[in-house]
Amino acid sequence: MAPAVPLALLALLAPGLAVAPGCDYPAHRWCSSRDVAAACQVESRCPSLPHPAAAPVQLSLYYESLCPACREFLVTKLFSTWLLLPEEMLNITLVPYGNAQERNVSGKLDFECQHGPEECLGNMMEACLMHEAKNFSTYFPVIFCLESGSSVTKNLEACLQIYAPEVDSGRVTACVQGDTGVALMHHNAQVTEALDPPHQYVPWITVNGKHTDELQAQAEASLLGLVCHLYQGEKPEACGGSKAPKFPSGCRR
């Protein structure tokens, strides 16, 4: 079998040659970019082209701030998995609301939470923290600190000093005490109630927009292994395999 003709040589031999209709590029430019190679249908002959980045695995956690199973999953599985994997591999959305109920009392929204008013406060604090910090890598370590500590609602100042000193605790408090906090919780209520299938317990996990019993079980058993399996890009060293025990039963309605 004759060896393939290098494209550089082909460019010298036939500088005006185009290999596909609509390819208006000279041969020496066919491998200059992925778009050009695709237009000229020579991608397989351009080994130096960078591979397109794989989409991150999308994981959403619907939880309650005081639910024991939620706290354990967030602290021991989700946070550690996030630390181990590169940023482009896993995209996490946190929705603190869970089994709460939204009510209209005399024209004002009010919330009743499964573990009492303290949980409603914790949910709103974390929602306001996300709103004020904006960057996930800034607020997730603070939420980890709150959820792993002795009190979710009383350690905000200390957790901010350790993990995000640039975030003003006063702004988070003002959000909790004002209309913004209520609006954020209303949004979380709508997002949670729109789940399909409807959530039956928390923590409730969706992966790439889907929830199944199998995905939930896999995420609770080995979240790192699940994300590594689903990610279509180059696997990091952390994806060597991970096994973990099942978590406690979730907080059902």
Side-chain angles (χ1 to χ4, degrees):
M1 180 176 179
V5 178
L7 289 180
L9 178 58
L10 187 59
L12 294 174
L13 296 176
L17 179 64
V19 294
C23 176
D24 298 325
Y25 303 94
H28 70 274
R29 291 193 56 200
W30 290 346
C31 292
S32 62
S33 74
R34 182 164 292 279
D35 288 342
V36 172
C40 296
Q41 299 182 14
V42 294
E43 290 172 286
S44 63
R45 296 159 68 180
C46 300
S48 62
L49 285 176
H51 293 288
V57 175
Q58 305 283 341
L59 186 143
S60 295
L61 175 64
Y62 298 82
Y63 70 105
E64 300 167 348
S65 63
L66 297 188
C67 168
C70 298
R71 297 176 73 175
E72 185 167 1
F73 178 77
L74 188 151
V75 169
T76 66
K77 297 298 292 184
L78 188 59
F79 187 72
S80 59
T81 298
W82 176 71
L83 287 177
L84 286 169
L85 298 177
E87 182 179 356
E88 65 271 13
M89 190 169 172
L90 178 61
N91 185 27
I92 299 171
T93 299
L94 301 175
V95 185
Y97 186 80
N99 297 331
Q101 298 293 322
E102 184 180 55
R103 302 175 299 175
N104 189 314
V105 180
S106 301
K108 293 185 177 181
L109 291 178
D110 186 47
F111 302 94
E112 182 176 337
C113 295
Q114 184 172 11
H115 299 92
E118 190 79 0
E119 180 168 78
C120 282
L121 175 59
N123 291 345
M124 191 177 291
M125 284 179 62
E126 294 183 4
C128 282
L129 172 64
M130 296 181 215
H131 176 74
E132 292 297 330
K134 294 179 173 58
N135 189 290
F136 186 84
S137 62
T138 299
Y139 64 71
F140 192 31
V142 181
I143 291 177
F144 161 79
C145 179
L146 294 173
E147 293 291 343
S148 61
S150 57
S151 172
V152 172
T153 59
K154 296 177 181 178
N155 291 334
L156 177 63
E157 187 72 41
C159 289
L160 283 174
Q161 288 179 2
I162 296 170
Y163 290 103
E166 70 275 18
V167 177
D168 184 357
S169 63
R171 292 181 62 87
V172 177
T173 301
C175 170
V176 170
Q177 296 174 348
D179 293 339
T180 302
V182 174
L184 292 171
M185 293 312 300
H186 175 62
H187 171 75
N188 286 355
Q190 291 182 311
V191 171
T192 303
E193 292 305 315
L195 284 167
D196 184 17
H199 86 283
Q200 302 170 17
Y201 51 82
V202 287
W204 186 264
I205 301 160
T206 67
V207 181
N208 292 333
K210 298 180 180 179
H211 174 92
T212 65
D213 291 343
E214 182 180 4
L215 281 173
Q216 179 85 21
Q218 289 175 343
E220 291 181 343
S222 178
L223 180 60
L224 177 62
L226 175 62
V227 175
C228 288
H229 172 71
L230 293 176
Y231 184 62
Q232 298 299 305
E234 184 177 352
K235 315 288 186 183
E237 290 185 7
C239 289
S242 174
K243 294 292 182 182
K246 294 280 186 178
F247 283 91
S249 297
C251 296
R252 295 185 176 271
R253 291 174 183 264

